[in-house]
Amino acid sequence: MVRAGRRTGPTTTADEILAAARSLFAQQGYRGTTVRAVAAEAGVTAALVHHFYGSKERLFVAATALPLHPADLVADLVSRGAREDLGERAVRAFVRLWRDPGTGQQLAGAFRRMLGSSDGSAFFRGFAQDVLVPRLAGILQITPLRVTAIMSQLVGLAAARDLVGVPPLADATEDDLVLLFGPVVQGHLDA
Amino acid sequence: MVRAGRRTGPTTTADEILAAARSLFAQQGYRGTTVRAVAAEAGVTAALVHHFYGSKERLFVAATALPLHPADLVADLVSRGAREDLGERAVRAFVRLWRDPGTGQQLAGAFRRMLGSSDGSAFFRGFAQDVLVPRLAGILQITPLRVTAIMSQLVGLAAARDLVGVPPLADATEDDLVLLFGPVVQGHLDA
């Protein structure tokens, strides 16, 4: 279905592309969705989608309202210091993203959509499988299974601390969280 | 609001009590809800609520549709073997509960409700804070912070593997999962 070009209210072309992307990623999965199909759904050219979002992968990250591409964050963390402190740096960066009011709210929304329904889970599964896990395995030089083990630990930390908000985890300081979870992440990196 | 005693369809008194409990736990929180208030909401006596569910705590577990009281599971696991294998036994038991079609479906429903909305999270937070964390700290003889760290790991495992279903974690064998996560849980137990 190609939409009419008519605009109502403050909706912009970029927003229309995102809405089309959300709809198609949900219906067709990550792999089954092309930039060309998103463009057709939004009634624009594929070149315009690339102009706004760069690639299918970036379009997906924008459609989920994640505050950043997780692979960009991890590549940055790897470049910032020694391998033996990477677990600590990763936990610290993750906790700070959740504590920041802006990015924390974006993450909470994305995580609730990802975990709250089987449709929401399916939306993320394809991206994780086709893009995120292989990309992070390459960046971190660990097995895909270890990548998913680290992801499960960080998702669990956010679920218990930031979504459900269980004390005393919810009230723990950043340093406490680094002490609790840094060695877990590092253990998967060193395995 | 006390309901009329009229029955429609196959609803039983036990179900009416559960519906009243869900409503009050959601509105008033775990601490703010009494068995007496649930009984009044369901139009029955408090004695009947105790007859069906035993205690406020058991009533909450039934209202969440969890397949069992987590503290019962943990107490059983502690009694079944050596402390140094408890992390492995805990991961194995958790994975089996999720793999069993009956209990797995119950857990998936409860976890999606717990993580999918702020109301759902609030519903579980009070029970975790007032009952589960102190109880497990006593059974396991570890700090409440370590209890919540273990909970976060197991919630994350279920979220990544059973809710989102990210490969290769989603396809890992029970033994693989024990190797990945048993040492993490054991580390928190030994800390």
Side-chain angles (χ1 to χ4, degrees):
Chain A
M1 182 191 73
V2 177
R3 293 204 207 156
R6 187 171 52 88
R7 302 279 165 72
T8 55
T11 307
T12 67
T13 302
D15 290 337
E16 286 177 350
I17 292 169
L18 275 196
R22 283 193 194 101
S23 167
L24 285 181
F25 282 130
Q27 286 167 39
Q28 320 277 352
Y30 182 77
R31 194 175 297 187
T33 299
T34 62
V35 166
R36 183 182 299 267
V38 170
E41 172 85 9
V44 302
T45 62
L48 197 66
V49 176
H50 282 292
H51 167 73
F52 277 119
Y53 297 107
S55 66
K56 179 166 112 172
E57 200 178 308
R58 301 277 155 190
L59 179 62
F60 182 88
V61 170
T64 61
L66 281 172
L68 77 181
H69 195 313
D72 292 344
L73 172 65
V74 172
D76 182 62
L77 288 170
V78 167
S79 75
R80 276 173 185 272
R83 173 86 177 186
E84 64 259 34
D85 307 321
L86 184 53
E88 170 176 337
R89 286 202 299 288
V91 172
R92 207 174 281 285
F94 189 74
V95 168
R96 285 184 185 176
L97 277 175
W98 277 90
R99 287 231 161 131
D100 175 274
T103 53
Q105 195 168 20
Q106 284 181 289
L107 284 168
F111 271 56
R112 290 209 188 278
R113 288 190 293 278
M114 175 171 79
L115 301 172
S117 71
S118 53
D119 283 353
S121 291
F123 185 81
F124 281 88
R125 186 184 309 124
F127 177 73
Q129 179 169 5
D130 293 342
V131 176
L132 201 53
V133 173
R135 182 75 56 83
L136 294 181
I139 295 172
L140 295 170
Q141 293 292 299
I142 57 177
T143 64
L145 186 59
R146 289 285 173 182
V147 170
T148 51
I150 293 173
M151 286 165 66
S152 83
Q153 177 60 88
L154 295 179
V155 167
L157 168 57
R161 197 182 78 92
D162 301 280
L163 298 184
V164 184
V166 180
L169 194 68
D171 311 318
T173 66
E174 184 182 308
D175 286 340
D176 284 340
L177 296 168
V178 165
L179 282 173
L180 279 176
F181 299 107
V184 174
V185 174
Q186 192 68 43
H188 292 304
L189 290 169
D190 295 341
Chain B
M1 181 191 72
V2 176
R3 293 205 206 158
R6 187 171 53 84
R7 303 277 165 72
T8 56
T11 308
T12 66
T13 302
D15 289 337
E16 286 177 350
I17 292 169
L18 275 196
R22 283 193 194 102
S23 167
L24 285 181
F25 282 130
Q27 286 167 36
Q28 319 278 352
Y30 183 77
R31 194 175 296 186
T33 299
T34 61
V35 167
R36 183 183 300 268
V38 171
E41 172 85 10
V44 301
T45 63
L48 197 66
V49 176
H50 281 293
H51 167 73
F52 277 120
Y53 295 105
S55 66
K56 179 167 112 173
E57 202 178 306
R58 301 277 155 190
L59 179 62
F60 181 89
V61 171
T64 61
L66 282 172
L68 78 180
H69 194 313
D72 292 345
L73 172 65
V74 173
D76 181 62
L77 288 169
V78 168
S79 75
R80 276 174 185 270
R83 173 84 177 189
E84 63 260 33
D85 307 320
L86 183 53
E88 171 177 337
R89 286 203 299 289
V91 171
R92 207 173 281 285
F94 189 74
V95 169
R96 286 183 183 176
L97 277 174
W98 277 91
R99 288 231 162 134
D100 175 273
T103 54
Q105 195 168 22
Q106 283 182 288
L107 284 168
F111 271 57
R112 290 210 189 278
R113 287 190 293 279
M114 176 171 80
L115 301 172
S117 72
S118 52
D119 283 354
S121 291
F123 185 80
F124 280 87
R125 186 184 308 125
F127 177 72
Q129 178 168 8
D130 293 343
V131 175
L132 200 53
V133 172
R135 181 76 56 83
L136 294 181
I139 294 172
L140 295 169
Q141 294 290 300
I142 57 177
T143 64
L145 186 60
R146 290 284 174 181
V147 170
T148 52
I150 294 173
M151 287 166 66
S152 82
Q153 177 59 88
L154 295 180
V155 168
L157 168 56
R161 198 182 76 93
D162 300 281
L163 298 184
V164 184
V166 180
L169 195 67
D171 311 317
T173 66
E174 185 182 308
D175 285 340
D176 284 340
L177 296 168
V178 165
L179 281 174
L180 279 176
F181 298 107
V184 175
V185 173
Q186 193 68 42
H188 292 305
L189 290 169
D190 295 342

